[in-house]
């Protein structure tokens, strides 16, 4: 009973002292208020220690982080500082990144042998008389795998010359793009036809360069993809001719014997597949395609 009575008395005294101090604190400055609070806190006796024996006042020590206000980063006004792109805002950086991701398939087709390989594989499927076998996903996956095999040395050079120095902070992103352009230019200029390059030089109204390695990317990119399309169609046409001969022979035989109820393509398709497997067609085709890039 004495303990609860003492607690109520202490609470009432604290409320009365707070009511007396509040009007005065409202008229004083923040410095005076802080001084008043310190004086009042020192004047209040440690009643809790008297009411509950065995419990003493404890001190809480807050660990120091060692960080001063001068070391804190200053507010950049909502800007994301990117190396090589000063004062680039976060929304615009996200837009540029997402746009680049959507353009990756087009870039892959324009600067790699992917287009030539895929065209040849589609010609092969049509020549065999197959509509969905191999499927489009299978042909695209095979083309991607072979493209990675061909472009791996070029990608290694780009990584060593551009990506590693940029990650180390030695060069900016713009300088990394300039360095990464050199291996790609060397690769593409090796397979660009001079006729295609001349066409786009005339369309761009640029002076003729001293060599194919000095072509600008504005001319080199369309000239390369045009040359790859022509090469893919040439290989596909040569690949189509043997199977076309098989179709003509089967059609002439079935017509001469009067077998008009059964379409010639039904008979020629198994024969073409047997011919393709007997000569190990996949091995010959992939080997010839890979050697065309050496």
């Amino acid at each position: 009973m004495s303990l609860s009575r003492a607690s109520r008395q202490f609470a009432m005294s604290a409320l009365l002292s707070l009511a007396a101090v509040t009007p005065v604190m409202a008229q004083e400055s923040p410095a005076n208020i802080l001084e008043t609070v310190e004086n009042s806190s020192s004047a209040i006796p440690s009643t809790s220690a008297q009411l509950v024996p065995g419990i003493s006042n404890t001190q809480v020590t807050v660990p120091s982080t060692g960080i001063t206000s001068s070391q804190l980063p200053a507010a950049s006004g909502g800007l994301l500082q990117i190396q090589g792109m000063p004062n680039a805002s976060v929304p615009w950086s996200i837009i540029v990144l997402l746009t680049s991701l959507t353009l990756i398939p087009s870039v892959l087709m324009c600067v790699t042998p992917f287009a030539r390989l895929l065209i040849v594989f589609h010609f092969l499927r049509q020549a065999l008389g197959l509509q969905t076998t191999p499927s489009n996903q299978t042909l695209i996956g095979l083309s991607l795998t072979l493209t990675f095999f061909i472009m791996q040395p070029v990608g290694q050079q780009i990584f060593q010359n551009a990506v590693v120095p940029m990650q180390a902070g030695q060069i900016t992103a713009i300088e990394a793009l300039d360095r990464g352009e050199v291996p790609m230019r060397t690769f593409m200029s090796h397979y660009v036809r001079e006729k295609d390059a001349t066409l786009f030089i005339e369309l761009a109204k640029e002076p003729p360069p001293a060599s194919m390695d000095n072509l600008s990317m504005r001319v080199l990119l369309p000239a390369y993809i045009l040359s790859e399309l022509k090469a893919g169609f040439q290989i596909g046409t040569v690949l189509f001719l043997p199977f076309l001969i098989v179709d003509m022979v089967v059609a002439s035989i079935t017509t001469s014997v009067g077998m008009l109820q059964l379409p010639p393509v039904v008979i020629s398709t198994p024969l073409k597949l047997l011919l393709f497997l007997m000569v190990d067609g996949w091995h010959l085709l992939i080997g010839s395609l890979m050697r065309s890039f050496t």
Side-chain angles (χ1 to χ4, degrees):
M1 296 294 293
S2 61
L3 180 60
S4 59
R5 186 180 304 170
S7 301
R8 287 196 296 270
Q9 292 177 357
F10 175 73
M12 291 297 294
S13 62
L15 289 175
L16 291 175
S17 61
L18 180 61
V21 172
T22 301
V24 179
M25 292 177 62
Q27 299 177 359
E28 294 182 354
S29 62
N32 295 331
I33 292 174
L34 181 60
E35 183 179 358
T36 304
V37 172
E38 291 178 352
N39 295 333
S40 62
S41 63
S42 61
I44 296 175
S46 178
T47 312
S48 61
Q50 299 175 1
L51 295 177
V52 183
I55 300 177
S56 59
N57 296 331
T58 58
Q59 296 181 356
V60 179
T61 304
V62 179
S64 176
T65 58
I67 301 177
T68 61
S69 59
S70 61
Q71 296 176 350
L72 293 176
S76 58
L79 298 180
L80 177 63
Q81 300 295 333
I82 301 177
Q83 186 179 8
M85 298 178 61
N87 299 329
S89 63
V90 176
W92 282 109
S93 301
I94 295 175
I95 290 174
V96 171
L97 179 61
L98 293 178
T99 304
S100 302
L101 291 177
T102 57
L103 292 177
I104 285 178
S106 300
V107 174
L108 179 66
M109 295 181 64
C110 291
V111 300
T112 62
F114 180 80
R116 182 194 300 191
L117 298 173
L118 191 60
I119 289 172
V120 172
F121 292 146
H122 276 285
F123 265 101
L124 174 64
R125 188 172 65 179
Q126 293 295 327
L128 290 173
L130 305 174
Q131 299 298 325
T132 58
T133 304
S135 63
N136 291 332
Q137 291 81 1
T138 304
L139 296 181
I140 292 173
L142 181 59
S143 302
L144 283 174
T145 304
L146 297 178
T147 301
F148 174 78
F149 180 83
I150 295 171
M151 298 299 296
Q152 195 274 336
V154 180
Q156 185 68 24
Q157 293 180 10
I158 295 175
F159 182 79
Q160 294 294 335
N161 298 336
V163 178
V164 173
M166 184 184 67
Q167 291 179 346
Q170 300 175 358
I171 59 176
T172 62
I174 303 301
E175 294 175 348
L177 288 176
D178 294 336
R179 291 191 180 186
E181 181 182 320
V182 176
M184 291 301 304
R185 182 191 300 274
T186 303
F187 174 81
M188 290 189 294
S189 61
H190 184 70
Y191 300 103
V192 170
R193 297 190 308 162
E194 184 177 354
K195 183 178 180 180
D196 297 331
T198 304
L199 171 64
F200 286 101
I201 288 174
E202 294 177 355
L203 294 176
K205 298 180 180 180
E206 294 183 0
S211 63
M212 298 293 292
D213 295 333
N214 297 329
L215 289 173
S216 63
M217 293 301 292
R218 180 189 177 190
V219 173
L220 186 60
L221 284 175
Y224 175 78
I225 189 63
L226 186 61
S227 301
E228 287 296 296
L229 289 175
K230 181 177 177 58
F233 273 82
Q234 287 177 341
I235 299 174
T237 302
V238 174
L239 186 63
F240 207 105
L241 290 177
F243 301 104
L244 180 61
I245 295 175
V246 174
D247 287 332
M248 294 175 62
V249 171
V250 171
S252 62
I253 294 175
T254 55
T255 304
S256 61
V257 298
M259 191 183 298
L260 302 178
Q261 295 82 4
L262 191 63
V265 68
V266 177
I267 302 174
S268 63
T269 299
L271 295 178
K272 289 186 291 186
L273 288 174
L274 288 174
L275 176 63
F276 186 73
L277 293 175
M278 287 176 59
V279 299
D280 200 0
W282 284 111
H283 178 80
L284 294 176
L285 179 62
I286 299 300
S288 301
L289 287 174
M290 293 296 102
R291 292 186 183 93
S292 65
F293 292 100
T294 56

